[in-house]
Amino acid sequence: MKLEDLRPTKGSVHRRKRVGRGYGSGRGGHESGRGSGGQNSRSGGGVRPGYEGGQTPVWMRFPKRGFRNPVRIEYACVNLDILESRFPAQAEVTLAALQEMNLIKGRLSRLKILGRGELTKPLTVHADRYTHAAQEKIEQAGGKAEVV
């Protein structure tokens, strides 16, 4: 069998229905399959998504909850055990380095170091914030916790 021998299954391909081409076409001269008048029979007619015929829509019936502060500053949070397992001694830890290693997802522009885990090697960490425990552990291991 060759590529040019391939054909669609018999009966699977249909010609397009050309409606609205007069009564003699056999395909609806007047209504063209849209029914006899009304909003949905008009071109450009119909209702918007979510419209329920005048009944209060579901998105208005349900209570609204929550609030998202538009000026909130989001931090990418990384624990010390991640730094311990991924970085060699004397390495520089920055937001760009963490993004390059796919340890931070999304487009966050600030970094916070959290204190979970132990740190045994000296690292130079550049971050926007540190928890108190994280800063102590970095300095005890002989590293530097620098605020950007």
Side-chain angles (χ1 to χ4, degrees):
M1 176 177 267
K2 295 181 184 151
L3 198 60
E4 60 265 19
D5 295 336
L6 291 176
R7 296 279 178 269
T9 309
K10 191 169 181 71
S12 68
V13 178
H14 303 277
R15 290 186 66 171
R16 187 171 70 92
K17 279 185 186 175
R18 297 188 70 227
V19 294
R21 291 295 178 267
Y23 290 103
S25 68
R27 298 224 188 275
H30 176 58
E31 290 98 356
S32 302
R34 289 169 171 261
S36 56
Q39 187 175 14
N40 287 319
S41 72
R42 318 273 187 232
S43 72
V47 294
R48 61 176 159 73
Y51 185 69
E52 298 184 25
Q55 172 177 294
T56 306
V58 68
W59 57 270
M60 288 177 77
R61 293 197 301 264
F62 272 70
K64 309 297 182 282
R65 294 295 308 270
F67 167 74
R68 182 162 175 89
N69 188 351
V71 295
R72 176 183 169 155
I73 298 168
E74 296 269 346
Y75 288 89
C77 296
V78 178
N79 276 293
L80 288 177
D81 55 358
I82 302 290
L83 302 183
E84 172 73 25
S85 63
R86 300 294 175 95
F87 286 92
Q90 307 298 333
E92 292 225 359
V93 179
T94 61
L95 181 68
L98 291 165
Q99 284 172 334
E100 206 171 280
M101 299 172 83
N102 289 328
L103 295 174
I104 295 174
K105 302 203 174 14
R107 294 191 305 175
L108 296 167
S109 60
R110 300 191 183 201
L111 177 63
K112 183 172 182 176
I113 305 296
L114 308 179
R116 186 186 72 200
E118 293 300 320
L119 195 62
T120 58
K121 42 188 134 171
L123 297 173
T124 306
V125 184
H126 303 281
D128 297 280
R129 285 205 171 171
Y130 300 88
T131 60
H132 186 69
Q135 194 162 3
E136 278 185 357
K137 289 178 183 179
I138 291 169
E139 288 166 0
Q140 280 177 358
K144 292 181 191 170
E146 296 180 1
V147 177
V148 178

